[in-house]
Amino acid sequence: MISNPALGLWRRIRRRIAGTGLSLDTVADAQAQLTAIEADLPAYLWAYREVLGPWLAEAAAAGDLADQLVRWLHRHNQFLYATAQTRAELAQVYAQAMADTAELLAEARALAEIEAGLPHLFAEHHQRLALALKVAFGARLRDTVQAEYSPGLQLAMLGLDRVETPVLDVGCGATGALVAHLRAAGIEAMGLDRDAQAPGTVMGDWLVQDFGRSVWGTVTSHLGFSLHFLHHHLSGHDLAYDYARAYRRILASLKVGGRFAYAPALPFVEAVLGDGYRVESRSLGSYGGSLPVESSTVVTRLA
């Protein structure tokens, strides 16, 4: 069982990751403001060093901290995809920082030694972190504009005046607004999102998700799955192939007569679906921006 001092430190670190208002550029460049140390942190480490030292040396929380960082990345750029290898490498960066801190606590003979050692430790940690992020994401490590939309707007943009049940919202967002709206209306619905937190939603990765076969009456994704697919397709990124396979799995998960409604449209895929599907696309008027997102599509499974 985690001790109270260790739990307090763990929460401090999580808040530091989640609460930062810094940009991705700042993190990638390991700029000086990242290494700022809370005024009371050295004294906290010194007071509880006998408990915190062994906990930090164990580094059991490193994986959770890496996941927390990935969620922070998603909030700044929804198109960043952290593979299992990337998550493991980020966890190793946090494990190294925790081990270094444990060593500092073990060797310190006075509070002043912790106060002197922490700035160097923080600087080294953030340099390793910046390098890991640059290797994983390269030039894509930049902020993008993103937002959640009202359920009514999502349904209107998707061209859905009715839905067949059950409904799956792919990329429902942390709040699962559309799912909550449908469930409040008595419609069987659930959501899938990598950051899902709300009732009726599950946390998952749409690139590896088993959507089932012939189970869904309606699958929706407003500026979610297809937007990411389009982004990686136009960028020439290898992830586009993974999206193509996931797209086929979603279609296979539809009941006969079921529909996959999404925005933006994916004409480069829709043109080769074959006779087993009916494709209905429409223009929505220009949003502006760098991606052609002013369209939506409803794909109906016919057989």
Side-chain angles (χ1 to χ4, degrees), residues 16-272:
R16 185 181 179 93
I17 297 169
T20 180
L22 301 174
S23 68
L24 286 178
D25 288 339
T26 301
V27 175
D29 294 338
Q31 295 178 19
Q33 53 263 57
L34 283 169
T35 62
I37 298 171
E38 296 91 334
D40 65 334
L41 181 58
Y44 185 88
L45 293 174
W46 174 253
Y48 297 108
R49 61 191 182 280
E50 294 183 1
V51 174
L52 295 177
W55 178 77
L56 287 164
E58 187 178 283
D64 177 85
L65 297 177
D67 288 343
Q68 183 80 5
L69 178 64
V70 169
R71 287 192 287 272
W72 181 84
L73 290 170
H74 291 166
R75 290 196 296 274
H76 283 259
N77 186 333
Q78 60 179 310
F79 301 114
L80 296 179
Y81 180 76
T83 64
Q85 179 180 347
T86 296
R87 289 175 182 265
E89 290 169 352
L90 293 174
Q92 182 56 43
V93 171
Y94 280 105
Q96 182 65 56
M98 295 175 77
D100 290 346
T101 306
E103 182 177 354
L104 175 64
L105 295 184
E107 295 178 352
R109 293 295 176 265
L111 172 60
E113 294 182 23
I114 295 178
E115 292 173 331
L118 275 183
H120 300 289
L121 191 154
F122 271 46
E124 291 176 356
H125 166 66
H126 284 292
Q127 287 173 358
R128 288 192 293 263
L129 189 61
L131 178 60
L133 292 174
K134 285 182 175 179
V135 169
F137 303 114
R140 294 176 293 134
L141 200 65
R142 60 184 186 274
D143 289 90
T144 62
V145 177
Q146 55 201 62
E148 292 192 31
Y149 299 84
S150 69
L153 177 61
Q154 291 185 56
L155 292 173
M157 300 296 266
L158 294 172
L160 293 175
D161 56 357
R162 60 177 177 81
V163 293
E164 301 297 333
T165 60
V167 179
L168 174 65
D169 187 21
V170 178
C172 62
T175 63
L178 179 58
V179 173
H181 172 78
L182 294 174
R183 289 162 70 97
I187 296 172
E188 182 183 358
M190 68 173 291
L192 170 73
D193 196 273
R194 61 191 176 188
D195 298 320
Q197 299 175 14
T201 67
V202 294
M203 186 178 294
D205 181 347
W206 55 33
L207 287 185
V208 298
Q209 182 72 23
D210 180 1
F211 296 101
R213 297 188 67 84
S214 304
V215 294
W216 302 106
T218 308
V219 177
T220 62
S221 190
H222 176 255
L223 297 185
F225 177 87
S226 65
L227 179 61
H228 287 244
F229 191 173
L230 180 62
H231 169 81
H232 292 297
H233 170 72
L234 295 178
S235 301
H237 198 279
D238 287 346
L239 275 176
Y241 297 103
D242 295 314
Y243 273 89
R245 286 186 282 269
Y247 182 92
R248 297 297 305 192
R249 292 201 305 276
I250 292 175
L251 293 183
S253 76
L254 296 172
K255 299 177 181 179
V256 174
R259 298 183 296 171
F260 181 21
Y262 52 85
L266 299 169
F268 58 94
V269 172
E270 296 153 8
V272 297

Side-chain angles (χ1 to χ4, degrees), residues 278-290:
R278 181 174 66 248
V279 178
E280 300 168 281
S281 296
R282 64 191 187 119
S283 175
L284 305 173
S286 179
Y287 286 144
S290 59

